[in-house]
């Protein structure tokens, strides 16, 4: 089976604003593959390089060296963006719009015909459990509901690949549970999901495989059960060992 997403010896450098314009490594020789239908967790402490990697995949940031491919096409080239759904960590929508109006706006961006758009809007609002409040302004939604609106817009074009940056960020336990359930439903539909998260309990529940980044470098990768067996502990404790965290230091 060919990977739907492939990263090969990826390096991303940036210049700091410090005296002397120093060059820092955000991502250092990262290589990994994600296969169709897989739920892949992309883990690491703050500043590990997760969002930078996602920005390369989406064409927002150029790679300094190495390459990344989606659907077997180099991300430097035009890609079928129609087949990708994206949820950034920090979302902003016109909150005077209703969920239905927002999704209709995104459907027009993707040039989805009106009849198909109506069907897709109904489908994704039911999936994210917002169908009953579809005509309420987004400004009246809770944080968890707004996050689920973000998931709905990422799904409006029926993508083959979803790239989600911290989809449970700032959510309470009920909100995290609902997002986890949505990801599990997407998995049952055969979608491929590549997402970053600090919520290791959620990752442990839904992911087929995970990669752990630290200081821009890949430190561990594999099935959750294999990592737990290797480090003789649960995923959270394995994560702390991989990144070298020692309590009390």
């Amino acid at each position: 089976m060919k990977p739907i997403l492939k990263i090969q010896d990826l390096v991303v450098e940036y210049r700091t604003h410090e005296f002397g314009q120093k060059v820092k490594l955000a991502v250092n020789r990262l290589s990994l593959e994600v296969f169709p239908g897989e739920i892949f967790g992309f883990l690491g402490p703050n500043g590990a390089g997760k969002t930078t990697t996602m920005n390369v995949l989406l064409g927002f940031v150029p790679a300094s060296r190495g390459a990344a491919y989606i659907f077997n096409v180099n991300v430097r080239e035009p890609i079928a963006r129609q087949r990708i759904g994206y949820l950034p960590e920090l979302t902003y929508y016109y909150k005077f719009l209703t969920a239905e109006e927002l999704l209709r706006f995104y459907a027009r961006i993707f040039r989805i015909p009106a009849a198909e758009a109506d069907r897709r809007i109904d489908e994704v609002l039911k999936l994210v459990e917002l169908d009953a409040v579809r005509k309420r302004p987004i400004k009246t939604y809770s944080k968890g509901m707004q996050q689920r609106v973000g998931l709905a817009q990422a799904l409006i074009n029926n993508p083959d690949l979803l790239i989600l940056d911290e989809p449970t960020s700032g959510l309470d336990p009920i909100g995290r549970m609902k997002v986890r359930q949505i990801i599990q439903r997407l998995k049952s539909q055969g979608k491929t999901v590549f997402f970053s998260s600090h919520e290791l309990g959620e990752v442990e529940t839904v992911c087929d495989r995970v990669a752990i980044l630290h200081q821009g470098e890949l430190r561990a990768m594999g099935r959750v059960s294999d990592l737990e067996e290797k480090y003789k502990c649960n995923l959270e404790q394995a994560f702390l060992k991989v990144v070298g965290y020692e309590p009390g230091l």
Side-chain angles (χ1 to χ4, degrees):
M1 185 183 296
K2 291 185 178 180
I4 199 170
L5 184 160
K6 182 176 181 179
I7 299 172
Q8 194 169 32
D9 289 326
L10 185 71
V11 176
V12 182
E13 299 173 335
Y14 66 94
R15 292 190 176 276
T16 69
H17 295 293
E18 299 171 5
F19 179 76
Q21 289 284 300
K22 295 180 180 178
V23 174
K24 288 193 174 182
L25 275 174
V27 180
N28 186 17
R29 300 196 67 182
L30 172 64
S31 295
L32 60 83
E33 295 179 338
V34 179
F35 295 92
E38 191 170 35
I39 308 297
F40 194 98
F42 198 43
L43 314 179
N46 289 334
K50 304 185 301 298
T51 297
T52 299
T53 301
M54 290 183 168
N55 285 339
V56 170
L57 294 172
L58 294 159
F60 300 155
V61 171
S64 303
R65 292 188 294 281
Y69 303 86
I70 294 178
F71 313 125
N72 208 33
V73 177
N74 194 304
V75 296
R76 293 178 182 268
E77 305 297 329
I79 294 175
R81 304 288 178 188
Q82 187 86 13
R83 299 174 63 191
I84 303 171
Y86 171 57
L87 177 66
E89 179 179 2
L90 300 175
T91 59
Y92 179 81
Y93 305 116
Y94 294 113
K95 295 185 179 181
F96 57 84
L97 295 176
T98 66
E100 184 176 332
E101 290 169 338
L102 179 76
L103 294 179
R104 203 168 300 283
F105 170 73
Y106 277 96
R108 285 198 295 268
I109 290 175
F110 282 106
R111 299 179 181 178
I112 300 172
E116 174 68 7
D118 288 342
R119 187 188 67 79
R120 288 294 304 158
I121 289 169
D122 289 344
E123 189 175 299
V124 298
L125 285 175
K126 287 175 183 175
L127 176 68
V128 302
E129 299 182 9
L130 291 175
D131 189 48
V133 294
R134 62 192 294 163
K135 295 189 181 296
R136 273 176 47 187
I138 294 171
K139 65 183 177 183
T140 68
Y141 286 6
S142 67
K143 167 70 174 173
M145 293 165 72
Q146 290 183 25
Q147 196 76 344
R148 277 149 47 210
V149 167
L151 277 170
Q153 69 79 21
L155 290 164
I156 192 64
N157 56 317
N158 196 22
D160 297 312
L161 170 66
L162 280 138
I163 297 177
L164 312 176
D165 194 358
E166 298 288 349
T168 59
S169 176
L171 300 186
D172 63 16
I174 293 175
R176 292 199 302 271
M177 178 194 68
K178 287 185 177 293
V179 171
R180 182 178 71 240
Q181 289 173 340
I182 292 166
I183 292 174
Q184 288 172 325
R185 288 175 200 150
L186 294 171
K187 179 178 180 178
S188 70
Q189 295 174 8
K191 300 292 186 185
T192 305
V193 183
F194 180 80
F195 77 100
S196 66
S197 180
H198 288 112
E199 303 293 341
L200 300 183
E202 312 296 322
V203 171
E204 195 168 15
T205 302
V206 302
C207 287
D208 298 303
R209 288 191 302 137
V210 299
I212 301 176
L213 254 64
H214 185 48
Q215 297 178 343
E217 296 182 354
L218 181 65
R219 298 295 178 89
M221 183 168 62
R223 298 182 66 86
V224 172
S225 58
D226 292 340
L227 292 177
E228 290 176 339
E229 174 63 25
K230 178 179 179 180
Y231 292 98
K232 307 300 180 185
C233 55
N234 64 26
L235 181 62
E236 181 175 352
Q237 293 169 327
F239 174 88
L240 295 175
K241 288 183 179 181
V242 169
V243 301
Y245 175 78
E246 295 183 26
L249 294 181

